[in-house]
Amino acid sequence: MTTATGDHFIYSKGDWLIAAMTPKVTWPALPGTYLVSANIDGEEPHFWRSNVLGWAICMDGLVRPIIIDPNGLMETWTVLHPDGRVEKSNGDEFEDTAAWLEVAVPGR
């Protein structure tokens, strides 16, 4: 990268990813908002959940959930909202966790 003053800088892909995922704006999540992930251990599929503390609009313009996790600003995510809806980062939305699990765990 070359600045307007002619200085040259070299950034690694990791540097760019960190910069892109740096929050510009944050706001709190509603109580009862969880990051969810399907788990197919055992006979009956189920899911685990982690509290979403807030939301961030990052430097790359994407909205990401803020959670207590080393990988809290991930590229893709699935969130259970307080009203029971399940929403994926790609915009897919499901009426409830049962409808989401049907898609998340095919052939259940």
Side-chain angles (χ1 to χ4, degrees):
M1 178 170 130
T2 303
T3 67
T5 60
D7 294 324
H8 298 282
F9 298 94
I10 297 174
Y11 294 98
S12 70
K13 181 179 179 180
D15 291 335
W16 282 112
L17 290 175
I18 290 169
M21 295 175 76
T22 300
K24 286 180 69 171
V25 176
T26 61
W27 66 95
L30 292 173
T33 304
Y34 300 98
L35 188 74
V36 292
S37 179
N39 188 342
I40 55 172
D41 289 343
E43 292 182 22
E44 188 65 30
H46 59 282
F47 63 94
W48 62 260
R49 64 186 191 181
S50 177
N51 290 319
V52 174
L53 304 176
W55 295 96
I57 298 178
C58 298
M59 297 287 282
D60 59 6
L62 297 177
V63 176
R64 293 184 175 90
I66 300 170
I67 61 171
I68 300 175
D69 186 300
N71 299 314
L73 291 175
M74 68 269 320
E75 290 286 329
T76 61
W77 43 264
T78 305
V79 169
L80 171 61
H81 291 281
D83 63 4
R85 289 177 303 116
V86 176
E87 179 184 12
K88 295 179 65 171
S89 57
N90 67 1
D92 290 349
E93 192 171 304
F94 304 90
E95 185 176 329
D96 55 26
T97 55
W100 165 65
L101 279 173
E102 287 179 18
V103 173
V105 185
R108 61 177 268 213

